[in-house]
Amino acid sequence: MEDIIRRVREELKGNADEKTRISGERYFKEEVNIYGLRSAEVVRIGKEYYKIIPDKSKSAIFALCEKLWESGFMEESFIACNWSYYVYREYEAGDIKVFERWVSNYVTNWASCDTLCNHSVGTLVEMFPECISDLIGWTGSDNRWMRRAAAVSLIVPARKGRFTDEIFRIADLLFADSDDMVQKGYGWMLKAASEKHQKEVFDYVVSRKATMPRTSLRYAIEKMPPELKKVAMAR
């Protein structure tokens, strides 16, 4: 298994491009470790090496993911996110604690946070709705990425019209957060919810627009008709 990780890293380094690395760094305010590969290339490498992993049990895959996360490189985190999602059929409710640890210990940027949460965590929550109580707990974390994760883990379920009450609860808990990454995260969650529950999200925003951070508000109403946006943005 160690050989797989070594080969993945060699492949990533061998396909890295300095211009892509410099360009990628511009998307982040915080310092990030990037080899310098386009997303499609990272996905290709991840799929290629996943095929030759001899033991594809969840425990084995999660152990490999841990090694990838530990490197601190964004491209390795993306492969870890994808590999952990490939075994979703084996998920158990207790796996929320594994994902929680990964966010807490390894996530240092919005891209790694969102890639893990949109797929692995969101799918786990859809399979085991009781895990939403864990997301609610994350809103009280000192870690900005844990708080963002509490919201962005519900993006995909929100688009399906699920967990509306819990979405508004998480939005309430994150409402006054001063961190722009968290504001954007719960605003995005509300925007996703508006695809199936436009009126409810509109009413939520309008009733709180006097105190709602403008960043969150703009994200939440992004997909609404112009006439509703005008009402929501009016002071």
Side-chain angles (χ1 to χ4, degrees), residues 18-218:
E18 184 66 7
K19 288 184 179 179
T20 303
R21 183 187 67 78
I22 294 171
S23 175
E25 288 177 348
R26 297 191 185 121
Y27 287 97
F28 304 91
K29 294 179 181 179
E30 55 280 337
E31 184 177 336
V32 292
N33 292 321
I34 302 175
Y35 288 117
L37 289 86
R38 297 188 181 280
S39 297
E41 187 71 2
V42 177
V43 171
R44 180 194 67 77
I45 292 170
K47 287 182 176 178
E48 177 182 318
Y49 282 93
Y50 185 80
K51 290 177 182 177
I52 63 173
I53 296 172
D55 181 359
K56 291 186 176 66
S57 66
K58 184 184 71 177
S59 60
I61 296 301
F62 278 12
L64 287 171
C65 292
E66 191 91 28
K67 291 292 184 182
L68 292 167
W69 277 112
E70 286 173 355
S71 76
F73 277 89
M74 188 178 300
E75 290 93 342
E76 292 194 40
S77 79
F78 291 164
I79 291 175
C81 292
N82 290 335
W83 285 4
S84 67
Y85 178 68
Y86 292 163
V87 294
Y88 76 88
R89 290 182 179 83
E90 294 184 50
Y91 283 176
E92 302 167 275
D95 292 330
I96 192 68
K97 297 301 182 184
V98 175
F99 298 150
E100 178 179 320
R101 181 166 50 78
W102 290 352
V103 176
S104 179
N105 292 347
Y106 304 126
V107 169
T108 58
N109 60 80
W110 60 263
S112 296
C113 180
D114 297 357
T115 304
L116 176 66
C117 293
N118 284 178
H119 303 292
S120 296
V121 184
T123 298
L124 180 69
V125 170
E126 286 199 85
M127 293 170 67
F128 304 99
E130 64 268 27
C131 291
I132 288 184
S133 63
D134 292 89
L135 301 188
I136 290 170
W138 296 359
T139 65
S141 174
D142 292 334
N143 184 327
R144 69 192 303 205
W145 305 116
M146 290 293 297
R147 302 197 305 279
R148 181 180 173 93
V152 299
S153 293
L154 292 178
I155 298 297
V156 175
R159 288 174 178 154
K160 300 174 182 177
R162 300 193 65 184
F163 307 130
T164 307
D165 290 343
E166 292 84 355
I167 285 167
F168 287 133
R169 183 176 178 189
I170 287 174
D172 281 342
L173 291 167
L174 298 175
F175 188 83
D177 202 298
S178 61
D179 192 302
D180 69 323
M181 287 289 102
V182 180
Q183 292 174 7
K184 290 174 182 178
Y186 87 77
W188 182 19
M189 175 184 67
L190 290 172
K191 176 173 67 176
S194 75
E195 294 183 28
K196 293 290 186 181
H197 299 286
Q198 180 178 278
K199 182 181 186 303
E200 291 90 335
V201 174
F202 177 75
D203 289 346
Y204 179 91
V205 169
V206 169
S207 67
R208 294 162 173 78
K209 67 178 182 176
T211 55
M212 189 173 190
R214 300 300 271 184
T215 297
S216 303
L217 190 154
R218 290 190 183 96

